[in-house]
Amino acid sequence: MMNFDGLDPGMGEYPPSLHGTLEPGMEPSMDPHLNPSLLQGVELDPEGLAGTGPETVHLMEGMFSELHSVVSEVGVPVTATHFDLQEEMLWMGNHRGHASSFFGPTMGRYSSFQAHSTDDIRQIQSLETGVLFLSKNNLKCHTRGGLVMFDYPMDEGADMHSLLMTDNNMMIMGGLQNYVIEVDLNTVQETQKFTVEVPGLAIMRQTSRFFFCGHTSGKITLRDLRTFKTEHEFDAFSGSLSDFDVHGNLLAACGFSSRGMNGLACDRFLMVYDLRMMRAVTPLQVHVDPLFLRFIPTYTSRLAIISQTGQCQFCEPTGLANMADIFHVNTVGQLLMSFDVSASKQALSFGDSGGCVHLWSDAPEVSFNDYSRETEFALPCLVDTLPQLDWNHDLLPISLIPMPLTSTEALLSDWSAALAAPSPRRAPPVDPEILRTMKTVGFIGYAANPRTRPRNQVPYKIKDVELDYDNYNQVPESPIGRDEEPHLYMVPKKYRKVTIKYSKLGLEDFDFKHYNRTLFAGLEPHIPNAYCNCMIQVLYFLEPIRYLVQNHLCQKEFCLACELGFLFHMLDLSRGDPCQASNFLRAFRTIPEASALGLILADSDEQTGKARLGRLIQSWNRFILTQLHQETQEQEGPQAYRGASSSSLGSSGESVIGKLFGCEVENSSLCRCGKETVRSSLTLLFTMHYPEHNSQEKSIKEYEFSEILKKSICLEQSTQAWCENCEKYQPTVQTRNIRCLPDVLVINCEVNSAKEAEFWKVQAEFAFNKVMQKEAMEPPKPKEPPPMPTEWCLDGEDMCNMEGFPVDTRAEDLRHVWIPPTLKMSISKSQGLEISSWPEAEELTTEEEEEGASLFDLVVTVPHILDARTGGNLIAHIKVGETYHQRKEGVTHQQWYLFNDFLIEPIDKAEAAQFDLSWKVPAILYYARRNYHTKYDLRIKNPIDASVLLTEASLARKQRKSHATFIPLMVSEMPQAGDLVGLDAEFVTLNQEEAELRSDGTKSTIKPSQMSVARITCVRGQGANEGVPFIDDYISTQEQVVDYLTQYSGIKPGDLDAKISSKHLTTLKSTYLKLRFLIDTGVRLVGHGLQKDFRVINLLVLKDQVVDTVHLFHLPRKRMISLRFLAWYFLELNIQGETHDSIEDARTALQLYRKHLELSRAGGNDEVRKVLKGLYEKGRQQDWKVPDADTGDGQGAAVFPSVMGL
């Protein structure tokens, strides 16, 4: 605990009767006052650890009584006791450095060892893996069995008294010297040294706000958790301090008062301090001389006060002590030297100067911890206790019964050479990830260890292990368990499903840059139906679609083309930060066709992996192209947004989607009677059809991809159809031919069964073998030093042109590849459609171009990743064009990228075409005509104009003019670039967050709550009407609201319902357009905590257009301050009394910004920093709570009198 000099003669120097005869090697003498029945044997009982303690003790429930007493070492004072925080054990350390542990309430001896050679043990602290023992100038860590884990010596002049764990692996130590040291237990090294005033400190405690340090001078200091600087100081006792404890908002201390010439006297008044107001409350008078005290909070915050002579008293820290609450520890005349309380608050331990440890409890079946792990005991001797063998058990090792070889007779297991042949176990195949990343120097390959297996371990039954892998539980219980499985994990890390780990700060401290080092924007995956993120990226990187949807604006509330345009605008602005497709997916969920096609997943299906994502994304691909074609082709009626010009695409009646993907198709039906029917239609994509495999044939035939693609496009099949000539259903031959080629050829691969996957796999093997045979037939070239592999990974050379590389390296690039990087396609009257593979680096001749031939390059592949643990996911390989690189990075170049939600990584072009069907199944392919985008108008004409801000009707049927809370902008008031606009938004909850409690008690957020914007307010930031709102829209929602958050949002049930609401109710799209116009104009938005507002509204605003008061009034590494506290401190306004009002909040944020400008002009940054320090000081004093005030004084209303008439 602390230095006992000057406290009591019996604690400073021990009389010879206690330890004078304890010489090394001599038997300890029995103390005449010691009860012989307390002694206990220390031998291990082979049947367990049941001690030979006293008879059963009868305890009264709820009252503390002695349960057991044991002697550790007779006559040697017990200087430290400690209840183990992990196991049901009690530790003690004595004056000679010896440590012992006792198991459970029976106090059976568990271990005993010498922790320090000579010095007394002053404090004990248990860890997960061991136990720390602190002496005067040494810290040792032992296992619970007694083995030394580390020894940390300190300066010879050190006089350590206390240690404190500040983190799982960090601790600080202090004593009677002018410094405190911080030690990292992982490295067992000093990390920091803090200077403290002489004479040092003897006791340390910690809460979430402060370190509390007790000094021998009688003071208690409260220190900063990071810098250890003194923040507050309590002068508790004039003499010395003996003990103190902290619980909740109370600090209680006991100590000694100075009595002039008579030295120190034990003070029977406990000092109690309220940590909220940082001042003392009424001292507590007790009836014992306090030496130790601890809070024992159960139903109330009880205090246990212990005297040196063994008297114990319980009392409330703010009440009166009662004589009836005193009990006595039977120390047989010895003095109490140490005291501890178990983590469960059910047990107390006392160590006395006679070497005795007393265990007190308020229940006979006491447990030291709420959740203790099982303790490992020494194994009993197994001699003559051989196990019973079950001969019917196949896996039971017979070697459990040892058998000596006493004869030369052969064993039954020794097979003769005639019956057995040596069969060495074949080495397992090398991990494809190693082969893929291997760099070859000479004949030696180097690759990073993918860490898919434990070191030096290979599973015996590889096939069985793979089978187990396939049947692995699809969804782990916790995100903590979502790390790598050690055995045969086939899916490379970058292809696996990525998840966001949420902290108490939400997404603020999640490192997205770790997953995306490019300037392209990823998409967040936690929104319902975000499985289509990969296809959204595909559409974005098709230049004509990007321009089409950003030029499109219509009057429909839920239009996917409009929402895609808004989302693509965010992707354009982002510099590597991920965006959300929340508004797009919200509109997607309202489309009846999407629901009818089964494209809208339940949350459970998406999380558990029940959805068949490969088939689902192909249906989504067909749906989105059709939907965009219809939405952009429709002739627009009266404009919803006055003055918003109709897009040129809509007015012409022809859709860019039709021009880009459309292909005119002739469907011919020929009946047996000879009647032929021909119909023409427009198709936007084609589905692959694979030849039927004849069961009589053992092997699958070899096909070129171009051959299968041609048969799939020009499909011929027999089916039953109605013949008008025969007037009945007849077998009919249906043939499909195309009249023109699309600019982008979209292919759904339809690899939905094992049969199709096997076909694809076999064809890839055929293609690989053909290339290898071709290379083998080529004459060997003279050996040259091979270039570094990065040269051919990044420089864009042809895949097949790899001379000079070892066969293994080239083979890895070509394995699992069936689809060609380039196709040559043409339509002739004589031969119809012709498709063939083409070398990627070559161009067509002039003659071929005149004949109508075109080259189509592979630009997109969308595979379905099979991952049994997470249910699988969808990713996209996209060849990003020059214009996108020019806009984002200022370079002109093309590159393939992997898009896996918010993970974006450049890849080699060979990887985009590789499909290892065991985990990577092709779903969608896009081939684009070379230089196709040159014929499209690629200019964005922003269709959002100022008319969106003018007066509009409310959706609410009951709204009356008298309820208007805002005045719309006049034409003369239209905002200009740089103008200030106060903004605030309120939200409601659609889905509650999903979280779990970990075993250590911390909360882990699996999925955050889904919020929806309910009210958006914008107020004028300058001019005659400064502070007057011009937007105050309540957002109508068709989705079910689970919590209106009325206390924080001011939104009440019914406010968002058009049938009963009296508010100005609009659609989200209408209000979104107003905000987009303001942002595009270049106004500066002022508000408090705007980042969350923009995130839920689904807006991306450049940093120089945002003025956030939460950051203006913030010091680094300090807490964020609420708008209410800032308004009270700087503006003397009392806001947010019962609920929040977004008009009031937006005005207040504007006033705070004006105040910040005023402070900056007055004294610059130094003045602002000085004011902020005063703000934080005041906040700590007030505990960040605004004092209660009369809210009816009109303070908030007098600031902007012009608003009162609204």
Side-chain angles (χ1 to χ4, degrees):
M1 284 297 298
M2 61 176 288
N3 191 357
F4 297 106
D5 295 343
L7 302 189
D8 190 282
M11 300 181 68
E13 296 182 4
Y14 306 102
S17 62
L18 291 182
H19 60 85
T21 59
L22 289 175
E23 298 298 330
M26 296 180 65
E27 291 294 320
S29 61
M30 178 70 76
D31 188 276
H33 301 290
L34 197 61
N35 186 349
S37 67
L38 297 179
L39 290 175
Q40 175 180 321
V42 296
E43 292 82 6
L44 283 175
D45 186 346
E47 298 300 324
L49 282 176
T52 58
E55 298 175 5
T56 307
V57 180
H58 298 284
L59 298 182
M60 187 179 298
E61 195 73 30
M63 296 290 290
F64 278 95
S65 309
E66 185 166 307
L67 194 61
H68 278 292
S69 296
V70 293
V71 174
S72 170
E73 198 170 344
V74 179
V76 181
V78 177
T79 54
T81 61
H82 172 70
F83 285 101
D84 199 305
L85 299 177
Q86 276 74 35
E87 302 184 12
E88 291 292 307
M89 281 200 281
L90 173 61
W91 289 89
M92 59 76 58
N94 68 16
H95 189 62
R96 288 191 172 177
H98 196 82
S100 299
S101 61
F102 305 95
F103 177 74
T106 59
M107 301 282 282
R109 183 78 65 112
Y110 181 78
S111 60
S112 182
F113 49 87
Q114 192 72 23
H116 294 285
S117 56
T118 54
D119 291 336
D120 58 319
I121 296 175
R122 298 187 172 180
Q123 191 169 341
I124 305 173
Q125 177 67 45
S126 58
L127 309 172
E128 282 281 341
T129 54
V131 184
L132 297 172
F133 298 92
L134 179 69
S135 67
K136 182 178 179 181
N137 54 16
N138 190 272
L139 176 71
K140 266 193 181 178
C141 184
H142 289 257
T143 64
R144 287 171 171 79
L147 298 177
V148 178
M149 296 176 68
F150 67 77
D151 188 351
Y152 182 77
M154 288 167 267
D155 299 337
E156 287 188 11
D159 188 7
M160 291 295 176
H161 278 267
S162 181
L163 65 82
L164 181 66
M165 296 298 299
T166 60
D167 198 352
N168 287 336
N169 299 307
M170 300 296 289
M171 57 162 287
I172 56 175
M173 292 185 290
L176 301 185
Q177 63 274 326
N178 65 345
Y179 60 85
V180 171
I181 59 174
E182 182 183 58
V183 176
D184 186 339
L185 295 178
N186 283 333
T187 58
V188 197
Q189 290 184 352
E190 176 185 315
T191 56
Q192 291 187 81
K193 181 181 277 191
F194 304 107
T195 303
V196 296
E197 58 274 15
V198 178
L201 49 89
I203 309 171
M204 290 190 289
R205 303 274 187 265
Q206 182 185 6
T207 66
S208 59
R209 292 176 60 195
F210 298 109
F211 287 130
F212 296 81
C213 301
H215 303 258
T216 53
S217 59
K219 290 191 304 184
I220 300 173
T221 54
L222 282 63
R223 297 175 180 271
D224 185 270
L225 292 173
R226 189 176 59 85
T227 63
F228 212 73
K229 290 182 179 177
T230 301
E231 300 283 342
H232 299 279
E233 184 177 293
F234 299 138
D235 206 347
F237 296 96
S238 58
S240 182
L241 183 74
S242 59
D243 201 2
F244 74 89
D245 199 12
V246 184
H247 175 66
N249 294 314
L250 292 177
L251 181 149
C254 60
F256 297 84
S257 297
S258 178
R259 293 289 187 266
M261 299 295 293
N262 298 325
L264 301 179
C266 190
D267 197 328
R268 287 202 173 189
F269 282 92
L270 303 184
M271 297 302 294
V272 182
Y273 295 89
D274 189 329
L275 299 177
R276 291 169 295 188
M277 296 177 286
M278 292 297 173
R279 63 178 178 82
V281 296
T282 307
L284 179 64
Q285 185 176 10
V286 295
H287 303 92
V288 301
D289 292 335
L291 178 67
F292 303 104
L293 64 80
R294 289 286 192 285
F295 279 101
I296 307 182
T298 50
Y299 299 108
T300 60
S301 302
R302 287 188 302 172
L303 261 177
I305 301 105
I306 318 298
S307 80
Q308 185 175 334
T309 55
Q311 294 174 307
C312 306
Q313 181 171 9
F314 287 97
C315 61
E316 294 293 327
T318 55
L320 293 175
N322 188 349
M323 287 288 288
D325 292 332
I326 297 178
F327 64 87
H328 296 265
V329 180
N330 184 17
T331 59
V332 200
Q334 306 297 328
L335 303 174
L336 289 187
M337 305 288 294
S338 55
F339 169 61
D340 195 25
V341 181
S342 68
S344 65
K345 313 302 180 189
Q346 297 178 14
L348 314 177
S349 66
F350 306 91
D352 65 27
S353 58
C356 209
V357 180
H358 307 266
L359 176 66
W360 284 63
S361 172
D362 62 352
E365 298 298 326
V366 63
S367 59
F368 300 158
N369 301 300
D370 293 329
Y371 301 100
S372 292
R373 69 184 181 205
E374 194 171 339
T375 301
E376 293 183 7
F377 296 106
L379 291 174
C381 181
L382 296 177
V383 176
D384 298 330
T385 57
L386 295 175
Q388 191 75 22
L389 286 185
D390 181 5
W391 294 102
N392 296 318
H393 200 293
D394 295 336
L395 299 178
L396 196 71
I398 302 175
S399 59
L400 283 175
I401 298 183
M403 184 184 71
L405 291 172
T406 56
S407 66
T408 57
E409 186 180 347
L411 296 173
L412 288 175
S413 57
D414 288 342
W415 290 74
S416 63
L419 298 174
S423 178
R425 181 169 167 235
R426 293 179 60 189
V430 179
D431 192 324
E433 178 70 8
I434 294 176
L435 294 175
R436 192 184 67 79
T437 59
M438 186 167 65
K439 297 179 181 179
T440 308
V441 179
F443 58 90
I444 300 175
Y446 297 89
N449 184 359
R451 303 193 183 283
T452 53
R453 297 179 185 170
R455 186 177 176 84
N456 296 332
Q457 292 184 33
V458 176
Y460 268 96
K461 298 180 181 178
I462 293 179
K463 289 186 178 178
D464 292 351
V465 171
E466 289 178 355
L467 193 62
D468 291 345
Y469 168 84
D470 292 337
N471 297 330
Y472 192 84
N473 181 17
Q474 290 182 338
V475 179
E477 290 183 356
S478 158
I480 309 164
R482 292 177 190 166
D483 293 332
E484 297 182 21
E485 272 302 298
H487 61 268
L488 290 179
Y489 199 61
M490 294 182 289
V491 183
K493 199 165 186 177
K494 62 185 176 183
Y495 284 95
R496 299 177 207 167
K497 192 173 187 175
V498 288
T499 54
I500 301 174
K501 292 183 171 58
Y502 298 90
S503 69
K504 62 183 179 182
L505 297 176
L507 290 177
E508 286 183 24
D509 56 349
F510 187 77
D511 184 14
F512 285 107
K513 295 293 183 188
H514 173 74
Y515 296 89
N516 175 19
R517 300 191 183 281
T518 73
L519 293 177
F520 300 113
L523 292 169
E524 292 181 18
H526 66 269
I527 312 162
N529 298 292
Y531 68 86
C532 59
N533 279 349
C534 59
M535 281 304 301
I536 293 174
Q537 295 279 19
V538 168
L539 296 174
Y540 173 69
F541 285 102
L542 289 172
E543 197 86 72
I545 294 186
R546 175 179 163 270
Y547 286 97
L548 164 70
V549 295
Q550 291 199 59
N551 284 320
H552 173 83
L553 187 63
C554 69
Q555 61 184 350
K556 286 166 59 179
E557 179 181 357
F558 298 112
C559 170
L560 294 190
C562 290
E563 295 296 345
L564 267 185
F566 301 153
L567 178 57
F568 287 179
H569 178 75
M570 292 167 60
L571 294 176
D572 277 347
L573 291 179
S574 173
R575 304 289 292 172
D577 295 321
C579 299
Q580 287 182 294
S582 52
N583 287 357
F584 170 78
L585 292 173
R586 178 186 180 184
F588 170 66
R589 289 196 295 271
T590 65
I591 307 292
E593 293 85 349
S595 181
L597 291 169
L599 301 178
I600 299 171
L601 293 182
D603 282 356
S604 57
D605 290 345
E606 199 164 359
Q607 290 171 13
T608 56
K610 291 180 182 176
R612 302 184 66 178
L613 293 177
R615 183 169 289 177
L616 192 69
I617 199 64
Q618 292 175 78
S619 300
W620 194 93
N621 185 31
R622 185 186 300 275
F623 161 78
I624 196 68
L625 295 181
T626 307
Q627 189 73 17
L628 291 177
H629 178 56
Q630 291 173 355
E631 289 178 350
T632 55
Q633 186 185 34
E634 291 169 355
Q635 289 286 347
E636 305 230 345
Q639 290 295 314
Y641 311 106
R642 295 140 305 276
S645 59
S646 162
S647 95
S648 59
L649 308 164
S651 59
S652 67
E654 182 184 4
S655 162
V656 169
I657 300 293
K659 278 177 63 182
L660 194 62
F661 302 105
C663 187
E664 198 173 341
V665 172
E666 228 176 49
N667 294 294
S668 170
S669 298
L670 180 64
C671 179
R672 282 196 307 190
C673 66
K675 180 174 175 61
E676 185 177 10
T677 307
V678 179
R679 294 186 183 89
S680 294
S681 63
L682 185 76
T683 186
L684 300 174
L685 57 79
F686 295 97
T687 301
M688 294 285 280
H689 289 266
Y690 303 99
E692 291 290 332
H693 178 55
N694 193 340
S695 57
Q696 296 178 353
E697 297 178 7
K698 292 184 179 179
S699 60
I700 299 174
K701 291 182 181 178
E702 181 179 353
Y703 293 93
E704 291 279 341
F705 176 81
S706 54
E707 186 181 350
I708 299 296
L709 179 60
K710 179 182 176 181
K711 288 182 179 180
S712 300
I713 295 174
C714 301
L715 189 64
E716 183 174 320
Q717 54 189 2
S718 297
T719 183
Q720 291 282 338
W722 178 261
C723 177
E724 293 180 357
N725 192 31
C726 303
E727 295 186 343
K728 63 179 179 180
Y729 282 97
Q730 289 280 59
T732 306
V733 177
Q734 294 188 342
T735 309
R736 182 171 68 188
N737 290 299
I738 61 171
R739 295 178 179 174
C740 62
L741 292 173
D743 286 338
V744 177
L745 176 65
V746 183
I747 304 167
N748 278 355
C749 294
E750 286 294 326
V751 185
N752 296 325
S753 68
K755 186 170 71 172
E756 289 141 359
E758 183 63 24
F759 177 84
W760 192 286
K761 183 178 178 181
V762 169
Q763 298 308 321
E765 289 176 0
F766 280 136
F768 174 68
N769 293 334
K770 187 186 291 185
V771 172
M772 298 307 294
Q773 289 171 7
K774 182 182 176 184
E775 294 217 358
M777 292 171 64
E778 290 181 1
K781 296 192 175 182
K783 289 188 178 180
E784 297 178 6
M788 292 302 289
T790 50
E791 291 180 23
W792 56 266
C793 285
L794 299 176
D795 62 5
E797 291 178 13
D798 187 20
M799 279 196 304
C800 301
N801 184 20
M802 299 182 186
E803 293 83 12
F805 288 93
V807 172
D808 291 347
T809 309
R810 289 177 299 186
E812 258 335 289
D813 277 345
L814 299 173
R815 196 181 295 277
H816 308 302
V817 175
W818 182 41
I819 59 174
T822 305
L823 291 171
K824 175 190 171 187
M825 299 179 69
S826 62
I827 299 177
S828 63
K829 291 182 180 179
S830 58
Q831 297 182 348
L833 176 67
E834 291 184 359
I835 306 177
S836 59
S837 300
W838 188 264
E840 187 180 7
E842 294 185 18
E843 295 287 345
L844 290 173
T845 62
T846 309
E847 294 175 2
E848 289 172 321
E849 288 180 354
E850 289 173 355
E851 290 173 4
S854 298
L855 294 182
F856 284 76
D857 293 316
L858 182 68
V859 292
V860 169
T861 62
V862 177
H864 175 206
I865 305 302
L866 304 178
D867 190 342
R869 297 192 320 160
T870 60
N873 56 297
L874 294 161
I875 61 103
H877 298 125
I878 303 175
K879 187 178 183 181
V880 177
E882 295 178 355
T883 53
Y884 289 89
H885 284 100
Q886 183 68 39
R887 274 195 304 272
K888 290 282 185 180
E889 298 176 343
V891 294
T892 305
H893 120 113
Q894 294 185 353
Q895 173 67 46
W896 279 92
Y897 288 89
L898 162 69
F899 288 83
N900 181 7
D901 289 331
F902 54 83
L903 184 153
I904 303 176
E905 192 172 306
I907 57 169
D908 182 54
K909 60 185 175 184
E911 192 174 338
Q914 283 180 316
F915 295 101
D916 182 348
L917 272 293
S918 59
W919 61 272
K920 187 180 179 186
V921 180
I924 298 169
L925 307 176
Y926 276 48
Y927 278 92
R929 193 193 298 261
R930 194 167 286 183
N931 301 322
Y932 73 98
H933 53 265
T934 53
K935 56 173 139 176
Y936 292 91
D937 181 9
L938 301 181
R939 290 171 297 172
I940 294 180
K941 309 178 184 82
N942 190 351
I944 307 172
D945 62 19
S947 61
V948 297
L949 290 177
L950 301 178
T951 311
E952 64 176 346
S954 169
L955 299 176
R957 299 174 185 174
K958 295 188 176 182
Q959 200 215 4
R960 296 186 294 275
K961 288 289 181 185
S962 59
H963 287 169
T965 55
F966 67 100
I967 299 176
L969 291 174
M970 308 298 289
V971 176
S972 60
E973 291 184 293
M974 283 299 158
Q976 306 298 320
D979 285 356
L980 295 180
V981 171
L983 173 69
D984 192 61
E986 308 293 354
F987 310 103
V988 292
T989 302
L990 302 180
N991 287 319
Q992 299 289 11
E993 77 170 14
E994 295 176 21
E996 66 179 7
L997 281 177
R998 295 179 178 149
S999 56
D1000 60 358
T1002 58
K1003 188 176 85 166
S1004 167
T1005 302
I1006 300 172
K1007 188 177 179 183
S1009 59
Q1010 188 187 352
M1011 312 286 284
S1012 177
V1013 64
R1015 182 184 182 187
I1016 294 177
T1017 301
C1018 292
V1019 302
R1020 295 165 172 86
Q1022 55 273 309
N1025 290 328
E1026 180 178 343
V1028 178
F1030 63 91
I1031 297 173
D1032 187 25
D1033 291 351
Y1034 285 75
I1035 311 300
S1036 171
T1037 178
Q1038 297 181 358
E1039 297 178 285
Q1040 184 177 359
V1041 177
V1042 299
D1043 191 351
Y1044 283 90
L1045 304 172
T1046 305
Q1047 180 183 352
Y1048 306 105
S1049 67
I1051 307 295
K1052 297 174 183 174
D1055 285 353
L1056 309 182
D1057 188 340
K1059 296 177 183 176
I1060 60 176
S1061 177
S1062 61
K1063 311 296 183 184
H1064 181 77
L1065 206 60
T1066 66
T1067 63
L1068 175 62
K1069 184 175 178 179
S1070 167
T1071 308
Y1072 189 94
L1073 287 168
K1074 298 174 188 177
L1075 294 178
R1076 261 290 305 274
F1077 175 76
L1078 291 174
I1079 294 164
D1080 294 348
T1081 304
V1083 303
R1084 299 179 69 204
L1085 299 173
V1086 183
H1088 191 81
L1090 288 178
Q1091 203 57 44
K1092 183 185 177 185
D1093 295 4
F1094 294 148
R1095 181 177 173 77
V1096 179
I1097 299 168
N1098 206 199
L1099 271 172
L1100 195 148
V1101 188
L1102 297 177
K1103 288 184 179 179
D1104 56 0
Q1105 283 184 254
V1106 180
V1107 178
D1108 199 333
T1109 53
V1110 80
H1111 297 300
L1112 287 182
F1113 297 95
H1114 175 245
L1115 287 176
R1117 296 185 295 279
K1118 300 280 188 181
R1119 63 171 285 163
M1120 300 292 186
I1121 304 176
S1122 69
L1123 182 66
R1124 184 170 190 232
F1125 193 87
L1126 290 173
W1128 171 79
Y1129 184 82
F1130 285 109
L1131 308 175
E1132 298 181 3
L1133 294 176
N1134 201 331
I1135 66 170
Q1136 300 175 354
E1138 294 180 2
T1139 62
H1140 290 218
D1141 179 24
S1142 56
I1143 295 177
E1144 182 181 54
D1145 291 354
R1147 280 192 200 126
T1148 306
L1150 270 172
Q1151 293 178 65
L1152 284 170
Y1153 177 53
R1154 301 284 187 203
K1155 184 70 175 178
H1156 188 272
L1157 291 177
E1158 181 186 317
L1159 293 171
S1160 300
R1161 284 193 291 266
N1165 291 335
D1166 292 340
E1167 178 66 21
V1168 172
R1169 187 169 182 80
K1170 182 180 176 183
V1171 171
L1172 290 183
K1173 284 184 177 178
L1175 166 67
Y1176 276 91
E1177 183 63 33
K1178 187 69 173 177
R1180 278 194 289 269
Q1181 292 173 11
Q1182 296 287 340
D1183 199 20
W1184 301 104
K1185 291 183 174 62
V1186 174
D1188 292 333
D1190 182 9
T1191 55
D1193 58 2
Q1195 275 185 313
V1199 181
F1200 301 111
S1202 58
V1203 184
M1204 299 305 293
L1206 295 181

